[in-house]
Amino acid sequence: MSTTGLTEKNFAEMIAENGGRLFRTGACVRDSLLGIRTKQIDFTVVGMVKKNFKLLFPQAKESGTPFPVFYLMVDGIRSEVAFARTEQKTDDGQIRISAKPKVGIEADLLRRDTTINAMAKDSLTGEIIDPYQGQMAIVSKTLKATSPAFTNDPLNALHLAGQAAQLGFAIEADTLVLARTVQNDLLQIASPEMMPELVTVMSEAKEPSRFFKVLQDLSLLSAVFAELAALPMDKFSASMLGLDAVANISQNPKVRFAALGFALPKEGFSAWSERMSLPADWVEAASTFSEGIRILVQRRPADFVDMILKLRRGALDVTEFDLITQAVAFNIPQLQEFKDNMALPKGEVVPTELKGTEIRNWVKMKQVEAVAKKMQCLLEKKVE
């Protein structure tokens, strides 16, 4: 059978014809039950060795060692395909992984972080495989560790916080106890792998502050986001309120992240990025917002002009800056009002005798005068 234009049904049939079974697994099963649009389909193959899979699907791109995943176009979507495996912690603290064909789907699901992620869907029959009551957890809106092996991977605590923020689910008491046993240093070592979770939270969570608050409750915030953990409690609380306020009106992860500049100084984002390789536009936007609100609170017309000009060419524009200041109720007027008044009045032209930097200085002077005039008008209107 040709694998050109491979569908999930064709894919599952080819696996079955060669002695295996194909399942959808993980978040895509959970999201479909929650009515959430699935962005990525993950598959797990049971009953087949890697060699046979590669012969059947030579176009699949292999990634990772020693237990790789494959990337394959299924129904026109780049999908991740893995082999069922078990994970066991040895006496010396290492994780022993087995990916033999005899590993069943139930055994594979047992190693998953929470029960809502420990479900599978048979790609041929559509049957939901739910040995650990993930559907019950969805109904009760509860996050529960699939097994005590939750602590084998320190990143599971991060995923737990991310799921709490993204879905708004409560965390079961016993699962909190397990998560609190995760060691800070182990999570800190894994920090480069945390970016996908942060992107998901900033992009999708209705209440992104919960991600950071759960980590704080688990005493893990300092291991992952040291800059936020170092804030005094009042500033941390203010930054979380601001983050959620912006999230209520914007799904742009860059804009949401920039809201953290309400409490964090510009230098904090540079240190954070060095450790975690944050997107460059996130760092620039947050740094600009942090710098801007600390300068503009002094209400000097020249500062307003400088900031508007900076926002015209930076990662954060005037509209986005105003959106954040309005959401966090920061006491400065909207910059758009001043931007609209910065153009030269109709009929006024640059004096012909001016050259080079003289022209720029003259234009800047006129812009500052316009902003100062607008400020005075707003002040008089407020007094009235």
Side-chain angles (χ1 to χ4, degrees):
M1 182 183 294
S2 172
T3 57
T4 303
L6 188 67
T7 67
E8 183 175 353
K9 183 174 183 295
N10 296 151
F11 187 22
E13 288 172 343
M14 293 175 72
I15 295 290
E17 288 166 3
N18 287 271
R21 288 179 73 188
L22 182 71
F23 298 89
R24 288 189 178 203
T25 48
C28 66
V29 179
R30 174 200 78 195
D31 289 348
S32 66
L33 292 172
L34 285 165
I36 298 173
R37 184 179 177 183
T38 300
K39 293 185 176 180
Q40 179 178 318
I41 306 297
D42 294 334
F43 293 103
T44 297
V45 176
V46 172
M48 180 177 286
V49 295
K50 184 176 77 170
K51 179 181 177 181
N52 290 348
F53 180 86
K54 291 172 73 172
L55 290 172
L56 277 176
F57 306 101
Q59 77 277 33
K61 304 297 182 183
E62 185 175 354
S63 176
T65 56
F67 296 94
V69 296
F70 290 84
Y71 292 96
L72 187 65
M73 297 300 292
V74 181
D75 289 321
I77 300 172
R78 186 173 184 263
S79 302
E80 185 176 295
V81 184
F83 294 88
R85 64 184 188 270
T86 59
E87 297 176 354
Q88 288 187 319
K89 197 169 189 177
T90 61
D91 292 339
D92 60 359
Q94 300 299 309
I95 303 299
R96 184 171 62 223
I97 301 174
S98 174
K100 296 178 180 178
K102 67 180 181 180
V103 176
I105 190 62
E106 291 83 1
D108 177 85
L109 295 174
L110 183 61
R111 67 179 179 80
R112 311 273 173 159
D113 50 13
T114 57
T115 59
I116 63 169
N117 283 344
M119 295 181 285
K121 182 178 181 180
D122 191 304
S123 291
L124 273 183
T125 68
E127 177 191 2
I128 299 294
I129 313 300
D130 184 15
Y132 309 109
Q133 292 77 54
Q135 292 175 95
M136 188 180 299
I138 286 176
V139 171
S140 65
K141 296 185 177 180
T142 304
L143 297 174
K144 179 180 179 181
T146 307
S147 78
F150 177 93
T151 58
N152 286 354
D153 184 351
L155 286 176
N156 283 342
L158 191 77
H159 300 325
L160 180 71
Q163 291 168 34
Q166 186 181 354
L167 302 174
F169 285 13
I171 302 174
E172 182 213 36
D174 289 345
T175 299
L176 282 172
V177 171
L178 279 176
R180 289 190 179 110
T181 67
V182 172
Q183 297 177 30
N184 271 346
D185 56 343
L186 293 179
L187 195 54
Q188 199 166 23
I189 291 170
S191 63
E193 301 175 51
M194 296 172 189
M195 199 60 220
E197 195 72 52
L198 183 61
V199 170
T200 298
V201 167
M202 287 295 172
S203 304
E204 301 177 13
K206 292 181 180 180
E207 191 183 352
S209 71
R210 191 143 184 256
F211 177 58
F212 302 107
K213 289 176 180 177
V214 169
L215 289 172
Q216 183 187 56
D217 182 49
L218 298 175
S219 299
L220 294 173
L221 189 65
S222 60
V224 191
F225 305 111
E227 291 72 23
L228 290 176
L231 289 172
M233 185 52 66
D234 59 337
K235 283 195 173 184
F236 176 77
S237 297
S239 70
M240 295 298 103
L241 286 172
L243 174 59
D244 286 346
V246 173
N248 282 335
I249 54 179
S250 176
Q251 290 186 308
N252 186 327
K254 175 197 71 177
V255 174
R256 289 179 169 199
F257 185 80
L260 295 175
F262 184 64
L264 273 179
K266 179 180 178 179
E267 299 74 24
F269 295 105
S270 299
W272 188 344
S273 185
E274 285 179 11
R275 191 179 65 257
M276 198 174 287
S277 298
L278 296 169
D281 61 334
W282 286 24
V283 175
E284 184 184 343
S287 299
T288 299
F289 182 70
S290 178
E291 179 183 23
I293 60 173
R294 284 157 180 76
I295 291 174
L296 298 182
V297 72
Q298 301 174 61
R299 295 180 181 258
R300 293 188 294 248
D303 291 335
F304 274 65
V305 171
D306 288 340
M307 183 54 58
I308 290 168
L309 294 176
K310 184 173 184 176
L311 291 168
R312 279 179 176 175
R313 57 181 181 269
L316 198 68
D317 63 30
V318 168
T319 301
E320 292 167 337
F321 188 93
D322 284 346
L323 181 150
I324 301 172
T325 57
Q326 192 169 29
V328 302
F330 192 74
N331 187 28
I332 59 170
Q334 300 285 278
L335 294 186
Q336 187 65 49
E337 295 186 68
F338 301 102
K339 180 183 175 183
D340 294 341
N341 284 269
M342 279 172 54
L344 290 178
K346 188 175 181 180
E348 187 166 9
V349 296
V350 178
T352 56
E353 67 271 17
L354 299 181
K355 307 292 181 185
T357 57
E358 293 177 331
I359 295 175
R360 289 195 294 275
N361 292 338
W362 184 87
V363 171
K364 175 74 175 292
M365 178 187 69
K366 290 295 182 180
Q367 291 172 330
V368 172
E369 288 176 357
V371 167
K373 184 177 179 180
K374 181 65 177 177
M375 278 186 175
Q376 186 61 35
C377 289
L378 290 174
L379 181 60
E380 291 172 358
K381 186 176 180 180
K382 186 176 181 180
V383 171
E384 291 175 2

